[in-house]
Amino acid sequence: MANAKGKTPDIKFDFNNMMADFIGAEQGITDAELNKTRNLAIAAHSNVRLNRGTGMMGWTELPYNQADVVSDIIATAKIVRRNADAFVVLGIGGSALGPMAVFQALCHLRHNELSKRQRKAPKFYVEDNVDPERMASLLDVLDLDKTVFNVITKSGSTSETMSQYLIIMKMLKERYGDKAREHIIATTDKEKGNLIKIAKAEGLKTFYIPDGVGGRFSELCPVGLLPAAVLGIDIKELLKGAAAMDKRMRKSDFKTNPALVAAALQYVAINKGKNISVMMPYADSLKLMADWYCQLWGESLGKSVDLNGREVFAGQTPVKALGVTDQHSQIQLYTEGPFDKVITFISVEKYRNEVVISDGAEEYPSVSFLSGHTLNELISAEMEATEYALTKKHRLNSRIVLPFVNAHTIGQLMMFFMFQTSYLGAMLNINTFNQPGVEEGKNATYALLGRAGYEEKKAEIAAKPAKKEQYIV
Ligand code: PA5
């Protein structure tokens, strides 16, 4: 889908409807307000630029520094594709949402329901919960002989993922003995955590999550690249798309750096009381991209203290929506409810299919007017109509435009969001890359289930006030 010059077009960020010219002075952002954030945005840009590739910003270099690992991934994926009928990711959070989002964006929307010949890749499952019914039902549909599992955990100790690993490994060992290792691939930190030790002891094929790449920033390393390659996705193109977006991040100019202006606009919006960020793609293929965005935005920016230790309770609540589906569910609230949201649409200029609406019901003009149009026209018209209705009601909204959905534009889109999040985190002066709130819950789980070393935490939990019967009905 390259243009005449052989280049895939850039995705675009259209923020007309964030501005006072379109939304009105009371809710909209004025040029003066945007200009006032310029210095802060420039400082955030230089902070991100200076720190790229260091600390927890290793993800910025992933498009450039993985040649060897990409070859290994492609070779491994080839073997899996040849032998397996199902590929199952065991992981949660950043170790699951990226693989799911990329699968949905770039594979057939009914991938698992296609015949093996049609799908040309194993069926794909991502088990990102420990609901016992879900695990039992997965085991009901898998043919273990033809299944490869990919256990993914950066910390190597997440209870959910390690529980799944234990269940699956025992089953594989009972059935295949030493050959169990042929059914499981580990993706984890090179040194830290338990999974790496287990993987070495069991002789598992292992891919490493590079230093400085945290869970929600890990889609472009083996966490996401191995599942994508198994599914037949062109991972080199995904990385090329990410590199193309990275190049647009070089300058601290609102006119050329889309993620920087997008971050600055959200910063102004937050200061105007817009505490909710709605991500609303108009494409089923991008539905789970909104889920991935929600984790990135929520976990990165939701912080109680800033870098100086001052209490700030920063963040903007991310909400996922789907066009047109949620026009019949949430849009009423977005159009007429509190003025506390920024809605970001993701539009696709050219869908991979065109479906014509058939003739019929000629005696009912209010139905037959649809005939001859395409579903493509309908979905685009509905998006434009919703954008219009929101704008008319003074609701901040913007649009990310994808020329089409392919590996290159998905690489661009994910890099756009990771940079936007990092710029906004720097503007808010918070640590974008930690997740103390998640760790607290993880540690409490260890304590409740009796992990050694967590006795103090267990005592702390036991000392919490007992629930009162009077408040339970
Ligand atoms: O973004 C993050 O760091 C988290 O959401 C993690 O991805 C999630 O908690 C899973 O952690 P791990 O990969 O260590 O199992």
Side-chain angles (χ1 to χ4, degrees), residues 251-267:
K251 293 201 179 130
S252 62
D253 179 355
F254 284 168
K255 290 207 170 69
T256 54
N257 185 330
L260 189 63
V261 72
L265 287 162
Q266 289 287 22
Y267 181 85

Side-chain angles (χ1 to χ4, degrees), residues 425-467:
M427 292 180 81
L428 295 167
N429 192 35
I430 50 147
N431 185 338
T432 308
F433 304 104
N434 66 0
Q435 52 281 327
V438 178
E439 303 305 335
E440 180 63 31
K442 281 188 180 184
N443 292 338
T445 305
Y446 298 149
L448 288 170
L449 289 185
R451 179 170 162 186
Y454 290 80
E455 294 75 12
E456 218 173 290
K457 179 64 64 187
K458 190 166 183 181
E460 182 190 310
I461 298 169
K464 74 179 165 52
K467 284 193 173 172

